[in-house]
Amino acid sequence: MLTRADCLAADARDALASFKQQFNIPQGVIYLDGNSLGAQPKAAMSRCAEVVSQEWGVGLIRSWNTAGWFELPGRLGNKLAKLIGAGEDEVVVTDTTSLNLFKALAAAVRIQQQDQPQRRIIVSERDNFPTDIYMIEGMIDLLQQGYELRLIDDALSLEQALTEDVAVVALSHVNYRTGAMYDMAAVTAQAHQRGALVIWDLAHAAGAVEVPLNAANADFAVGCTYKYLNGGPGSPAFIWVAARHQDRFWQPLSGWWGHNRPFAMADNYQPAHGIRRFLCGTQPITSMAMVECGLDVALQVDMADIRAKSLALTDLFIQLVEERCGQHPLTLITPREHGKRGSHVSYRHPQGFAVMQALIARGVIGDYREPEVLRFGVTPLYLGHADIWDAVEILRDILDSGSWDRPEFHQRASVT
Amino acid sequence: MLTRADCLAADARDALASFKQQFNIPQGVIYLDGNSLGAQPKAAMSRCAEVVSQEWGVGLIRSWNTAGWFELPGRLGNKLAKLIGAGEDEVVVTDTTSLNLFKALAAAVRIQQQDQPQRRIIVSERDNFPTDIYMIEGMIDLLQQGYELRLIDDALSLEQALTEDVAVVALSHVNYRTGAMYDMAAVTAQAHQRGALVIWDLAHAAGAVEVPLNAANADFAVGCTYKYLNGGPGSPAFIWVAARHQDRFWQPLSGWWGHNRPFAMADNYQPAHGIRRFLCGTQPITSMAMVECGLDVALQVDMADIRAKSLALTDLFIQLVEERCGQHPLTLITPREHGKRGSHVSYRHPQGFAVMQALIARGVIGDYREPEVLRFGVTPLYLGHADIWDAVEILRDILDSGSWDRPEFHQRASVT
């Protein structure tokens, strides 16, 4: 049986342990929800103050040039690219994940209309993050061109779903609920072999696992910066497009920032070459500028080291729950195999909602997802082995004592 | 002839003069570009620090509930509604103006497909803000349903453009370049009479002129919060939908935030009732929160008083330029008639670009728009009559001395 001393010893050996000092974590909190909203890099407040006081307050409109606002989506994109196996000028930080999915979907659909016009099926997964499915539904409804959504129930169903009328496959690299991870290279190859293009949603992958976009020969990817990348609440998302596809289609959210000559005020649209055509309207500069603080922390570490620590901590979490909470009805729904999971661990519990509220009241902040799912995000940059021990110990105490069964923990006021 | 003393006397009588104290304006700057990026309300820095340090840093994911992030788009929308003649639950602050135009356009097109399916023309104006035209082109290209864009050259052409196949008219209430303003009620009535729906872009109108959305029986409106509403660089935009249209169409950018039950994680999309269905993905909270600071300043004043001062200052600007710069080749392109102009004044000058750079170097910050246009935005909340005098005096000096004709003022490094 593991002990807390073992965990402290592991922390003492941990080469990433000092990175926690680059984040503000509130006193008394063990934060296991960095997969929903990442913690705050200490640099964020001063960066934000610089944007508001100096760039906006003093620079005013001049800051589009002097503070480099116009270059921000591409400059941050190039930094982010290094964390997801992408190249220079292949990523922009902009808009929201949902909107970027719409752009990627429109581009993929149009490329297929040119190359293989008979293909009218868009495949996704029933357990995909809901907004991804909603955006696909929205586009299908708008197009009125006979497109259909085909939802698979699990990874095994993909092979039979890939019929000759499939145009696009849109999947999340890491599942938001279970933490299950697809083999990006294998699934991309499988889809390509069957003539489909693939869009990867990296929301629960970017900054958490090694993402091999170019090595996997992927087509499109979107994702968010406010989870494992610690960009701040609702910080702008990103889109990656393989270089071979970038200039093939004029994506329909064609605002001024994606124009070839955005300040010429031309009266018709001409898309910029390359990834910049996936920009649309004016971006929220203050929120966007802080994205760099999170990226700059992550870029100090090798993603392989982040991944190794993530696997160590999730292994530890699973082992401790087995050892210490074994008699309680917790069902692990995250794959145990390293190659098949991301950086969070999820359990079903018949009273999952109340148990999570009791945990949060004790300072262990994870989150709850329908149905009955307790979700614990593991962020190697600001969590250690003893944190995992302490979190599981509080979970054990709540379960052993039954202290989750209080009226206030059953109230569903929560919106997230 | 007016004198500077006359201007100072007018400032002494000005009931809005004290509002300037609620903004940070840099020393030595006369800011005539609030129609591009509004100045910073003094409250913005502390609001921003509260979001970053407390709501994000300490509240973390809990702030979706405890700090009211989930309610922000609607709560700010309800404040903004009062400034544009809209009602409760008719406005949300979200995304960008370009994206909101796409949503409105999709909704308007779909409503017409149901009501008058033969209508396939979308009318706009050649001199509309380019991104509006680009977004229309993007949607037409995506739909592949035989829609066509018809661009009119001026307001007079609208009547003959309104043929029986026109589905939607998309116009800017105040033109970004000339400052010309449409009569919203008259044009809306004209379009309705001919069977078309109207989308108004209020980017250069909201916070600057009295906008009568409901009184004009308008259909849709979009606009930005970072110009006359002083929301901060790239702060999220807004969309207004007349109550009668809100539930008629599922707009295609159908992300989680517009879902009827956003946290049920349902596997198919069901649009929320009312204006909330025009939300899409997660919003940039830090940038959005600061929008409230600008709204809170504007809500202390009656829009009629803002408008009266705006007209007084733009009249003054025009008069002073005539009196003091009359011998120079400045051509006023802004309508003189009060009912036909917004809150900025524009001139063509053969060396407009260099003249504007020379002005900016002297602290008079306006902006330049192709072709040859000097644009001066007048923001009654933080500008006075003497500011206008001083700005025109510097313009006169630059023109009289020819000091604009230096190599550095001809360099087109500017991106805005």
Side-chain angles (χ1 to χ4, degrees):
Chain A
M1 297 269 282
L2 280 167
T3 65
R4 190 168 195 275
D6 296 331
C7 293
L8 287 171
D11 284 341
R13 291 189 304 268
D14 175 12
L16 301 188
S18 67
F19 282 89
K20 186 173 185 173
Q21 294 163 21
Q22 297 191 41
F23 292 89
N24 285 315
I25 309 289
Q27 282 287 328
V29 163
I30 300 173
Y31 195 55
L32 299 172
D33 212 4
N35 54 328
S36 191
L37 171 62
Q40 184 197 67
K42 285 183 179 166
M45 189 60 241
S46 61
R47 181 72 186 101
C48 175
E50 185 184 22
V51 172
V52 175
S53 293
Q54 293 301 309
E55 298 181 6
W56 177 18
V58 178
L60 288 160
I61 193 66
R62 297 170 288 194
S63 290
W64 277 95
N65 297 303
T66 56
W69 290 349
F70 185 70
E71 305 303 330
L72 210 46
R75 195 166 63 75
L76 298 184
N78 281 338
K79 287 193 172 193
L80 204 160
K82 295 174 184 159
L83 301 172
I84 55 174
E88 195 84 357
D89 297 331
E90 293 180 357
V91 178
V92 280
V93 172
T94 189
D95 292 330
T96 68
T97 310
S98 299
L99 291 165
N100 290 333
L101 182 69
F102 190 90
K103 298 172 196 171
L105 196 58
V109 159
R110 181 61 64 93
I111 288 170
Q112 290 288 41
Q113 283 176 2
Q114 289 165 1
D115 294 351
Q116 307 181 89
Q118 80 285 5
R119 292 176 176 264
R120 296 280 149 154
I121 302 290
I122 297 165
V123 170
S124 190
E125 191 175 14
R126 195 173 308 282
D127 196 30
N128 199 350
F129 191 63
T131 204
D132 292 27
I133 296 173
Y134 305 160
M135 295 305 292
I136 298 169
E137 288 182 279
M139 179 164 293
I140 288 175
D141 184 65
L142 178 68
L143 289 180
Q144 297 182 50
Q145 291 170 18
Y147 283 92
E148 285 176 33
L149 174 62
R150 178 179 294 165
L151 292 177
I152 58 172
D153 286 312
D154 53 46
L156 293 175
S157 314
L158 183 60
E159 182 62 23
Q160 71 188 71
L162 285 171
T163 52
E164 63 188 9
D165 48 1
V166 172
V168 184
V169 179
L171 295 172
S172 288
H173 189 202
V174 174
N175 184 276
Y176 80 103
R177 183 154 39 196
T178 64
M181 182 170 73
Y182 279 105
D183 180 332
M184 181 179 282
V187 171
T188 300
Q190 182 185 12
H192 284 180
Q193 197 172 26
R194 307 294 284 270
L197 295 171
V198 187
I199 302 171
W200 290 103
D201 182 339
L202 305 180
H204 285 268
V209 303
E210 291 169 280
V211 178
L213 286 174
N214 275 321
N217 197 28
D219 300 298
F220 300 89
V222 300
C224 97
T225 65
Y226 54 76
K227 297 180 187 286
Y228 292 98
L229 294 172
N230 306 305
S235 55
F238 66 87
I239 181 166
W240 170 84
V241 179
R244 65 184 178 280
H245 294 317
Q246 286 176 4
D247 284 352
R248 285 208 57 192
F249 177 60
W250 167 2
Q251 65 86 11
L253 303 180
S254 45
W256 72 269
W257 210 331
H259 195 280
N260 198 29
R261 294 179 303 139
F263 301 102
M265 304 286 167
D267 66 3
N268 68 322
Y269 186 72
Q270 294 182 346
H273 292 292
I275 191 65
R276 196 160 64 73
R277 70 172 58 184
F278 286 82
L279 298 177
C280 179
T282 306
Q283 293 299 299
I285 299 295
T286 313
S287 285
M288 183 178 282
M290 286 189 288
V291 170
E292 191 157 20
C293 305
L295 294 176
D296 283 346
V297 178
L299 287 168
Q300 297 165 38
V301 197
D302 195 299
M303 272 307 301
D305 294 333
I306 292 181
R307 175 64 170 159
K309 182 174 173 187
S310 161
L311 288 170
L313 293 181
T314 47
D315 279 346
L316 176 65
F317 197 103
I318 292 168
Q319 181 181 349
L320 288 173
V321 167
E322 275 172 350
E323 289 180 2
R324 308 182 67 77
C325 310
Q327 75 276 36
H328 297 291
L330 286 166
T331 308
L332 179 67
I333 62 171
T334 303
R336 287 169 189 268
E337 196 180 324
H338 283 182
K340 293 193 173 171
R341 75 167 189 252
S343 195
H344 67 271
V345 180
S346 298
Y347 295 87
R348 287 185 78 136
H349 184 287
Q351 296 293 334
F353 181 85
V355 172
M356 183 50 72
Q357 305 318 307
L359 279 166
I360 292 171
R362 296 276 295 272
V364 178
I365 303 182
D367 63 22
Y368 173 78
R369 285 291 177 264
E370 294 292 350
E372 301 187 353
V373 175
L374 297 162
R375 197 173 67 153
F376 302 99
V378 170
T379 49
L381 291 175
Y382 51 85
L383 283 173
H385 301 72
D387 294 321
I388 301 298
W389 173 279
D390 293 340
V392 175
E393 186 58 17
I394 291 169
L395 173 63
R396 184 201 58 70
D397 184 63
I398 286 168
L399 294 172
D400 285 355
S401 67
S403 66
W404 55 265
D405 195 14
R406 293 182 193 155
E408 68 266 33
F409 297 144
H410 292 281
Q411 281 172 16
R412 304 226 173 192
S414 176
V415 293
T416 59
Chain B
M1 298 269 283
L2 280 167
T3 65
R4 191 167 195 275
D6 295 331
C7 293
L8 287 171
D11 284 340
R13 291 188 303 268
D14 174 13
L16 302 188
S18 67
F19 281 89
K20 186 174 186 173
Q21 293 162 22
Q22 297 190 43
F23 292 89
N24 286 315
I25 309 289
Q27 282 287 330
V29 163
I30 300 173
Y31 195 56
L32 299 172
D33 211 5
N35 55 329
S36 191
L37 171 60
Q40 183 195 68
K42 286 182 179 167
M45 190 60 241
S46 60
R47 181 72 186 99
C48 175
E50 185 184 22
V51 172
V52 176
S53 293
Q54 293 301 310
E55 298 182 8
W56 177 20
V58 178
L60 287 160
I61 193 66
R62 297 170 290 195
S63 289
W64 277 96
N65 298 302
T66 56
W69 291 349
F70 187 69
E71 306 303 329
L72 210 46
R75 194 166 63 74
L76 298 183
N78 282 337
K79 287 194 172 191
L80 204 160
K82 295 174 184 160
L83 302 172
I84 55 174
E88 195 85 355
D89 298 330
E90 293 179 357
V91 178
V92 280
V93 172
T94 191
D95 292 330
T96 67
T97 310
S98 300
L99 291 165
N100 289 333
L101 182 70
F102 190 89
K103 299 173 194 171
L105 196 60
V109 159
R110 181 60 66 92
I111 288 170
Q112 290 289 41
Q113 283 175 2
Q114 290 165 1
D115 294 351
Q116 307 181 90
Q118 80 286 5
R119 293 177 175 264
R120 296 279 148 155
I121 303 289
I122 297 165
V123 169
S124 190
E125 192 176 14
R126 196 173 307 282
D127 197 30
N128 199 349
F129 190 62
T131 204
D132 292 27
I133 296 174
Y134 306 159
M135 295 305 292
I136 298 170
E137 289 182 279
M139 178 164 293
I140 288 175
D141 183 65
L142 179 68
L143 288 180
Q144 297 182 49
Q145 291 170 16
Y147 283 92
E148 284 175 35
L149 173 62
R150 178 179 294 165
L151 292 176
I152 58 173
D153 285 313
D154 53 48
L156 294 176
S157 315
L158 183 60
E159 183 63 23
Q160 72 189 67
L162 284 172
T163 52
E164 62 188 10
D165 48 0
V166 172
V168 184
V169 178
L171 296 171
S172 288
H173 190 203
V174 174
N175 183 277
Y176 81 102
R177 183 155 38 197
T178 64
M181 181 170 71
Y182 278 105
D183 180 334
M184 181 179 282
V187 171
T188 301
Q190 182 185 13
H192 285 180
Q193 199 171 24
R194 308 294 283 272
L197 295 171
V198 186
I199 302 171
W200 290 104
D201 181 340
L202 306 179
H204 285 268
V209 303
E210 292 169 280
V211 178
L213 286 175
N214 276 322
N217 198 28
D219 299 298
F220 300 89
V222 300
C224 97
T225 65
Y226 54 75
K227 297 178 187 287
Y228 292 98
L229 295 171
N230 306 305
S235 55
F238 65 87
I239 180 166
W240 169 83
V241 179
R244 67 185 177 280
H245 296 316
Q246 285 174 5
D247 284 352
R248 287 206 56 192
F249 177 60
W250 168 1
Q251 66 87 9
L253 303 180
S254 46
W256 72 269
W257 211 331
H259 195 280
N260 198 28
R261 294 178 304 139
F263 301 101
M265 302 286 166
D267 64 5
N268 68 321
Y269 186 71
Q270 294 182 348
H273 293 292
I275 191 67
R276 197 161 63 74
R277 70 173 58 185
F278 286 83
L279 298 176
C280 179
T282 306
Q283 293 298 299
I285 299 296
T286 313
S287 285
M288 184 178 283
M290 286 189 287
V291 171
E292 190 157 20
C293 305
L295 294 176
D296 284 346
V297 178
L299 287 167
Q300 298 165 38
V301 196
D302 197 301
M303 271 309 301
D305 294 333
I306 291 180
R307 174 65 169 158
K309 183 173 171 187
S310 161
L311 288 169
L313 293 182
T314 46
D315 279 346
L316 176 63
F317 197 104
I318 292 168
Q319 181 181 349
L320 288 173
V321 167
E322 274 172 351
E323 289 180 2
R324 308 182 67 77
C325 310
Q327 75 277 35
H328 297 291
L330 286 166
T331 308
L332 179 68
I333 61 171
T334 302
R336 286 169 188 269
E337 197 180 322
H338 282 182
K340 293 193 172 172
R341 76 166 188 253
S343 196
H344 66 271
V345 180
S346 298
Y347 296 87
R348 286 185 79 137
H349 184 286
Q351 295 294 333
F353 182 84
V355 171
M356 182 52 70
Q357 305 320 306
L359 280 166
I360 292 170
R362 296 274 297 270
V364 178
I365 302 182
D367 62 22
Y368 172 78
R369 285 290 177 264
E370 295 290 350
E372 300 186 354
V373 175
L374 298 162
R375 196 172 69 152
F376 301 99
V378 170
T379 51
L381 290 174
Y382 51 85
L383 283 173
H385 301 72
D387 293 321
I388 301 298
W389 172 278
D390 293 340
V392 175
E393 186 57 17
I394 291 169
L395 172 63
R396 183 201 59 70
D397 184 63
I398 286 169
L399 294 173
D400 285 356
S401 67
S403 66
W404 54 266
D405 196 12
R406 293 181 194 157
E408 69 264 33
F409 297 144
H410 291 280
Q411 279 171 17
R412 304 227 173 191
S414 177
V415 293
T416 60

